[in-house]
Amino acid sequence: MAGPKRRNVKFNHRGSNESGRRLSISELSEDAPSPRSPIRNEDLTKGKPILETGESTQASEYEKKKQTFITRTIWTFIMIALFFGAIAAGHIYVIGIVTMVQVVSFKEVIAIANVPSKAKNLRFTKSLNWYFLVTTMYFLYGESVIYYFKHIVLVDKVLLPLATHHRFISFMLYVTGFVFFVASLQKGHYRFQFTQFAWTHMALYLIVVEAHFIMNNILEGMIWFFLPCSLVITNDIFAYICGMAFGRTPLIKLSPKKTVEGFVGAWICTILLGFAMTNFLMQFSYFICPVNDLGANAFTGLDCVLNPVFIPTMYQLPSWTSSFLPSTLSIAPIQFHIMVFATFASLIAPFGGFFASGLKRTFKIKDFGESIPGHGGMTDRMDCQFIMGFFAYMYYHSFIAVYKTSVGGVLEKAITGLTVEEQIEVVHGLSKHLFNQGAVSEKVFECFSTVLTRKR
């Protein structure tokens, strides 16, 4: 009876080296298989076969990209929901989100600076960074609160001294930090400490100061926040679509995927969509009215005297257009302004992103952080928004804002520029004027006159 046939099985300890010496287990574990000829190796500790092939690597890469795409998509919808939810909830919630973006972006930019190992234990280095952030935000936010809510701040007994001396208090806070910085200088670390000082101030200017103007845009009217943000997002989307569709010519070396065709195509699409969005948002007072009630939301709305820029105006068209266009055209001036906004969002704001790309290449990092899963850091998403918000503020106050006397302005001048006796005289004169106009009764006027006469 013939014995069983020998299977053509080769073991690793046979023919594994020219001398025919049996390899030890330690030698077997250290031998790496050739990437060109995958082999079936035996896990000597678990007894489970492992197949090492290029296919498994490709599969793992595919799964990784798939998971990243899913995470990115989920967080995109979460951010969209938060964005529109905050806008509907009210101005104070949008300001809260802007503040959060400020702090997180500052943290990310400060963190990318290389810190030598010997300098990690220096006293006050991180503390001073955050101290300067808090001091800057106190100054900027205080300026906005005093400017937009004078009628509340200047009549409060506690807030009045803080408001009238706000700039001096802010200056002394900054000087205190400056003194602490100089006192904390240590020999052998001067270069690092001064670099950190300069880096912190650069981050404060590029992030905190510019984001502060975005907050002012919110208080001037939600449309001045919503439109600039939407135009940047729209331009980014259409730049990707147009670039994928017919992009051929590289735009800039800092972003190799950007193309001239995508850049120009996104500009045209952003103008068209900006025109449509403006025409829609003009219908709601909640968007076009400045903030006079921080408790207002999208459901309660706001009341105000409209800025003339939102009122349609009749324009006479040239005679040579009469053959194919009407002789007159009714359009709100904001529609012309929005073309400027869309042009800046398309042609200038992307350079904020290019600047951020150059900064990341300098420090050899892919993203500024991992604050937003699937998207990288907060700064990666907001790099263009900061410069766009800054532009929106400057353009609005240069060409659109209507300056007129406000209750807060009158109170500020009366409180800071008149003596107590002169202020009483103003109140007496106003009460008499209101009585003559029939706004108050004779009894109220006599009460005012009696009380004010006693105060003299």
Side-chain angles (χ1 to χ4, degrees):
M1 181 176 179
K5 295 183 179 179
R6 293 175 60 87
R7 298 180 181 270
N8 187 21
V9 180
K10 294 183 178 180
F11 295 94
N12 289 331
H13 65 272
R14 294 184 182 179
S16 59
N17 55 1
E18 294 180 359
S19 62
R21 180 175 62 84
R22 188 185 181 103
L23 298 178
S24 65
I25 292 178
S26 62
E27 291 173 322
L28 284 170
S29 63
E30 292 175 358
D31 287 344
S34 172
R36 295 185 179 180
S37 56
I39 63 171
R40 187 180 181 89
N41 196 8
E42 190 74 17
D43 189 337
L44 298 177
T45 59
K46 298 181 180 179
K48 296 180 180 180
I50 300 175
L51 184 63
E52 299 179 358
T53 64
E55 295 179 359
S56 62
T57 304
Q58 292 178 358
S60 63
E61 286 293 328
Y62 172 77
E63 289 298 326
K64 185 177 179 181
K65 290 181 179 180
K66 180 181 176 182
Q67 186 59 42
T68 301
F69 175 78
I70 294 173
T71 304
R72 187 183 183 94
T73 303
I74 292 173
W75 276 92
T76 297
F77 283 108
I78 290 174
M79 288 190 292
I80 292 173
L82 286 174
F83 180 71
F84 284 101
I87 288 177
H91 301 76
I92 193 69
Y93 294 94
V94 181
I95 291 173
I97 290 180
V98 172
T99 303
M100 181 268 294
V101 170
Q102 268 185 321
V103 175
V104 175
S105 298
F106 178 82
K107 176 179 177 293
E108 291 175 347
V109 171
I110 289 298
I112 67 173
N114 295 321
V115 180
S117 57
K118 63 179 181 179
K120 288 183 177 179
N121 297 323
L122 285 176
R123 296 177 61 190
F124 304 123
T125 300
K126 290 184 178 180
S127 301
L128 280 172
N129 290 340
W130 290 103
Y131 178 83
F132 283 124
L133 171 66
V134 173
T135 300
T136 304
M137 292 181 68
Y138 172 79
F139 169 69
L140 295 174
Y141 278 61
E143 287 287 306
S144 296
V145 170
I146 294 170
Y147 179 81
Y148 290 101
F149 303 103
K150 293 174 184 175
H151 57 290
I152 298 175
V153 175
L154 296 177
V155 297
D156 188 274
K157 188 175 182 180
V158 177
L159 297 178
L160 178 60
L162 294 175
T164 53
H165 305 298
H166 172 71
R167 293 181 180 177
F168 180 77
I169 294 171
S170 301
F171 174 74
M172 292 308 299
L173 287 172
Y174 177 82
V175 169
T176 302
F178 178 78
V179 171
F180 265 98
F181 166 74
V182 175
S184 66
L185 292 173
Q186 294 185 20
K187 187 176 181 180
H189 301 290
Y190 294 150
R191 181 184 294 274
F192 165 74
Q193 289 180 296
F194 277 103
T195 301
Q196 282 287 303
F197 185 80
W199 184 255
T200 301
H201 282 69
M202 185 204 75
L204 289 173
Y205 172 72
L206 293 178
I207 296 174
V208 181
V209 174
E210 292 188 2
H212 162 256
F213 290 110
I214 296 177
M215 189 189 77
N216 287 351
N217 293 340
I218 297 169
L219 296 175
E220 292 289 354
M222 190 67 80
I223 193 171
W224 306 116
F225 165 77
F226 183 83
L227 271 180
C229 289
S230 300
L231 290 174
V232 169
I233 296 171
T234 298
N235 180 260
D236 194 36
I237 293 172
F238 279 108
Y240 175 79
I241 294 174
C242 295
M244 290 289 291
F246 42 83
R248 296 292 182 273
T249 311
L251 178 65
I252 190 170
K253 292 182 179 180
L254 285 173
S255 294
K257 295 182 180 180
K258 301 287 185 180
T259 62
V260 175
E261 293 81 4
F263 199 65
V264 176
W267 176 27
I268 298 172
C269 294
T270 303
I271 290 177
L272 295 176
L273 194 60
F275 192 90
M277 282 194 298
T278 304
N279 194 48
F280 175 73
L281 295 175
M282 282 171 51
Q283 304 174 41
F284 305 98
S285 61
Y286 176 70
F287 280 93
I288 61 180
C289 283
V291 178
N292 49 36
D293 179 12
L294 283 176
N297 55 51
F299 305 101
T300 61
L302 289 168
D303 293 321
C304 67
V305 178
L306 289 183
N307 188 312
V309 79
F310 296 111
I311 301 175
T313 305
M314 295 297 295
Y315 292 93
Q316 188 73 31
L317 298 180
S319 57
W320 58 269
T321 62
S322 58
S323 59
F324 55 91
L325 287 176
S327 58
T328 58
L329 177 66
S330 177
I331 189 171
I334 184 62
Q335 299 288 19
F336 298 112
H337 293 294
I338 207 62
M339 295 177 65
V340 181
F341 275 69
T343 299
F344 188 92
S346 302
L347 305 184
I348 307 298
F351 282 86
F354 300 152
F355 177 86
S357 297
L359 197 61
K360 288 187 287 187
R361 287 175 181 268
T362 300
F363 289 96
K364 299 179 181 179
I365 57 174
K366 182 181 178 182
D367 298 312
F368 281 98
E370 298 178 354
S371 305
I372 310 175
H375 289 266
M378 184 70 70
T379 314
D380 294 290
R381 300 277 68 83
M382 302 297 165
D383 46 13
C384 300
Q385 296 287 0
F386 291 134
I387 190 173
M388 184 66 200
F390 196 1
F391 166 79
Y393 175 85
M394 293 300 177
Y395 187 90
Y396 171 81
H397 282 276
S398 298
F399 303 105
I400 299 175
V402 176
Y403 296 99
K404 60 182 180 180
T405 303
S406 64
V407 174
V410 172
L411 285 173
E412 181 185 26
K413 291 180 179 179
I415 292 172
T416 59
L418 300 177
T419 64
V420 175
E421 291 77 13
E422 290 172 333
Q423 292 172 12
I424 292 175
E425 199 65 40
V426 169
V427 174
H428 184 269
L430 282 175
S431 62
K432 186 175 182 179
H433 169 74
L434 292 173
F435 169 70
N436 293 333
Q437 297 296 319
V440 297
S441 65
E442 183 178 359
K443 185 177 181 180
V444 173
F445 171 65
E446 291 177 354
C447 181
F448 263 110
S449 299
T450 303
V451 173
L452 292 175
T453 303
R454 292 176 183 173
K455 289 289 185 181
R456 290 181 177 180

